[in-house]
């Protein structure tokens, strides 16, 4: 059997490893635009200068050789022909397959703001080559504008501040990291980043830019009229699943590749895993999906179980925060808060179910919260604050099936 995997990152590498374990004699080929395996989550360590490119590699040097995996590195897939079971590369080569995994992740998105898509000094941050470009731009620069204050924008700001660059951060929302944090949890981060050399422009939108004769943006103007001079721009305004090369393949896509619960696409011998499948955009989920898809490519029937749900951990300047679930409070929700000197906790309860939790400072009990959110365990009827609950409140708990039985008197 010939397995072909597009992508050499969290999903693709995990899939290749799993197939090798399950099918010692099958042929495995990985093709990736990346020329080096690396962790996207560690790009800021490269950008800050704390790690080399090799220092963010997450596989052993002999990984491909030892696992007998053919790796076509630095090769971009141009087109997939599902009728002929062939993948066409940019270089003109064709790679045949019996089973195909699409693990091509996502691409950063540059909004159609004046000059943003044409200028030479506007960068996204998705992979090592992006970090290398930003690193080069940072040499000899003093000021940068970062559009977007989500986790990627803050990663970039954190690294660039360490290199002595002043970062002006523009955010449409009224607080930083709005998908994960509320105003209370965002404030200490804003203070820490400000101390490190960042200036924040919240509830603001980039509206225009001035470009010089060399094609570099020299200032960004905001809707309020504020003008931010800069040497370069980093855009951290979201990502889009990398599905462009699937056009005309017959593989069904919407915003992402459409998959069933076995991560199979509408084409029988094609699966998708990781960010390209659009289920969640975090590393551990991409790995888990890569593993599940691989097992199914080996002929089993393993449904994908999302162990982590929507989970983001951040640690900047020694302050750790965990955000679990979807942070979209609605009318009628109950929002409960517990604060102490060193910690802040906030939970959103919708119809008695915890839909989002912020744990800042003290993230103990995180596994328990993860289970509550993921399995949508009803807690509203309990005569105890949600912050005082723990596994001890169950007499039966089956993590595999998310079965919780309460050990408490119920109304
Ligand atoms: C700066 C940054 C920080 C992050 N921090 C965290 C974090 O702290 N925690 C967390 O959980 N998640 C984090 N993430 C998200 C996490 O990195 C992604 O969820 C994860 O990388 C998804 O893995 P993937 O294998 O699906 O795709 P990707 O990592 O995007 O890899 C896609 C692979 O496909 C290849 N590829 C794409 N298109 C083609 C093509 N046409 N032809 C050939 N090859 C192709 C690429 O070269 C690459 O090898 C971060 C992301 C970024 C950018």
């Amino acid at each position: 059997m010939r397995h072909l995997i597009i992508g050499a990152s969290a999903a693709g590498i995990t899939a290749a490893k799993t197939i090798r374990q399950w099918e010692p004699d099958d042929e495995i080929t990985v093709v990736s635009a990346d020329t080096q395996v690396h962790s996207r989550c560690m790009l800021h360590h490269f950008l800050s200068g704390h790690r080399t490119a090799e220092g963010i590699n997450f596989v052993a040097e002999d990984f491909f050789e030892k696992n007998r995996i053919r790796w076509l590195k630095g090769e971009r897939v141009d087109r997939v022909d599902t009728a002929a079971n062939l993948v066409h590369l940019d270089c003109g080569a064709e790679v045949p397959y019996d089973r195909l995994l699409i693990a091509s992740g996502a691409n950063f998105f540059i909004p159609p703001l004046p000059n943003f898509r044409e200028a030479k000094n506007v960068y996204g941050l998705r992979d090592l080559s992006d970090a290398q470009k930003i690193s080069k731009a940072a040499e000899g620069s003093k000021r940068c504008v970062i559009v977007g204050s989500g986790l990627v924008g803050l990663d970039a700001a954190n690294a660039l501040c360490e290199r002595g660059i002043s970062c002006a951060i523009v955010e449409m929302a009224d607080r930083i990291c709005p998908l994960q944090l509320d105003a209370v949890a965002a404030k200490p981060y804003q203070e820490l980043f400000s101390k490190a050399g960042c200036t924040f422009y919240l509830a603001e939108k980039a509206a225009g830019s001035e470009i010089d004769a060399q094609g570099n943006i020299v200032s960004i103007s905001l809707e309020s009229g504020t003008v931010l001079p800069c040497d370069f721009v980093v855009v951290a305004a979201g990502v889009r699943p990398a599905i462009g090369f699937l056009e005309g393949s017959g593989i069904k896509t919407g915003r992402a590749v459409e998959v069933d619960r076995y991560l199979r696409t509408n084409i029988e011998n094609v699966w998708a895993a990781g960010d390209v499948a659009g289920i969640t955009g975090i590393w551990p989920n991409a790995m888990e999906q890569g593993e599940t898809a691989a097992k199914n490519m080996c002929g089993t029937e393993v449904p994908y179980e999302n162990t982590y749900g929507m989970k983001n951990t951040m640690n900047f300047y020694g302050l750790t925060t965990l955000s679990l679930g979807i942070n979209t409070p609605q009318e009628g929700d109950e929002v409960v808060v517990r604060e102490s000197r060193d910690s802040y906790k906030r939970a959103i309860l919708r119809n008695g179910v915890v839909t989002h939790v912020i744990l800042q400072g003290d993230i103990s009990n995180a596994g328990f919260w993860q289970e509550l959110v993921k399995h949508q365990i009803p807690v509203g009827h309990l005569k105890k604050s949600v912050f005082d609950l723990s596994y001890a409140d169950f007499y039966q708990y089956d993590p595999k099936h998310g079965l919780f039985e309460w050990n408490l008197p119920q109304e």
Side-chain angles (χ1 to χ4, degrees), residues 6-12 31-35 38-44 75-78 103-107 125-127 151-152 155 239 242 245 273-276 280-284 286-287 311-313:
I6 303 172
S9 185
V31 54
S32 73
D34 284 340
T35 52
H38 60 277
S39 162
R40 268 80 177 147
C41 313
M42 293 174 83
L43 285 174
H44 60 292
E75 298 286 358
R76 195 165 273 285
V77 174
D78 183 39
S104 50
N107 299 317
L125 178 59
R126 179 68 195 182
D127 60 32
L151 291 171
V152 172
D155 266 359
V239 294
F245 63 92
D275 285 11
V276 77
T280 55
I282 60 171
W283 187 272
M287 288 180 68
K311 173 184 175 181
N312 284 110
T313 315

Side-chain angles (χ1 to χ4, degrees), residues 298-361:
C298 293
T300 50
E301 289 265 289
V302 184
Y304 170 58
E305 302 205 12
N306 183 345
T307 308
Y308 302 95
M310 198 55 225
K311 173 184 175 181
N312 284 110
T313 315
M314 63 184 93
N315 187 345
F316 294 111
Y317 305 108
L319 179 63
T320 305
T321 302
L322 184 66
S323 157
L324 293 165
I326 311 283
N327 185 16
T328 47
Q330 292 174 6
E331 219 181 305
D333 287 351
E334 189 188 352
V335 179
V336 286
V337 166
R338 180 169 287 180
E339 276 182 279
S340 71
R341 188 199 303 259
D342 303 319
S343 82
Y344 172 71
K345 298 177 183 179
R346 188 207 69 173
I348 300 174
L349 283 104
R350 185 167 307 148
N351 302 320
V353 168
V354 182
T355 58
H356 184 255
V357 182
I358 296 169
L359 303 176
Q360 187 167 77

